[in-house]
Amino acid sequence: MLALLTSVMCLGPVQYSMAAETGEQVFQKKCVGCHTIGGGKLVGPDLAGVTSRREEGWLFRQIQQPDTLIAEKDPIALQLLQEYNMPMVPLGLEDSEVAAVISYLKSIEQEATVAAGLPSKYIPTVIISIVLLIGLTLIGLRVGRKKVDVR
């Protein structure tokens, strides 16, 4: 049971961080020409905090099919078009690449919000340590209840 918990706790963050790393690579190749993260506006908007301002489904569609959102008269897409006078170009990204970019953007925001606390990469280790301490304490309490005849 403990081994299963440990593997689940360890693999979750690894998969998330791998997606964020892939997303960073895609972002660097396809997005930095028009967008920054915390560096101000370029051709397109600064993406700092975008995952907290926009729903993930909308972000997914905006990244993958920005022209479709404009054709559907999406109010946010139309506002961005009016503000920047240029539509976002469809980049031809696959679903996995778009999801990775969104994971990357979330990881940037998560790093910014955790700046004053325990870094999120240590949380699985802390949780596993707490579970182990509780388990060892319970074992110790059970062993301590045995009656031993000391003569």
Side-chain angles (χ1 to χ4, degrees), residues 1-9 127-128 131-133 135-136:
M1 172 76 171
L2 187 58
L4 177 64
L5 178 65
T6 304
S7 63
V8 168
M9 295 293 291
I127 292 172
I128 291 168
V131 169
L132 283 172
L133 285 172
L136 290 172

Side-chain angles (χ1 to χ4, degrees), residues 93-107:
L93 298 177
E94 296 179 14
D95 290 353
S96 61
E97 292 174 311
V98 174
V101 168
I102 293 171
S103 291
Y104 170 62
L105 294 171
K106 284 181 179 180
S107 73

Side-chain angles (χ1 to χ4, degrees), residues 82-147:
Q82 182 180 13
E83 187 175 340
Y84 292 94
N85 295 320
M86 177 180 280
M88 183 169 158
V89 178
L91 302 172
L93 298 177
E94 296 179 14
D95 290 353
S96 61
E97 292 174 311
V98 174
V101 168
I102 293 171
S103 291
Y104 170 62
L105 294 171
K106 284 181 179 180
S107 73
I108 296 293
E109 287 182 37
Q110 187 178 27
E111 287 175 12
T113 58
V114 178
L118 181 67
S120 62
K121 65 182 177 183
Y122 296 123
I123 290 176
T125 304
V126 170
I127 292 172
I128 291 168
S129 299
I130 291 170
V131 169
L132 283 172
L133 285 172
I134 290 171
L136 290 172
T137 302
L138 292 174
I139 291 170
L141 288 172
R142 284 211 172 159
V143 169
R145 287 188 190 157
K146 291 186 178 182
K147 294 183 182 182

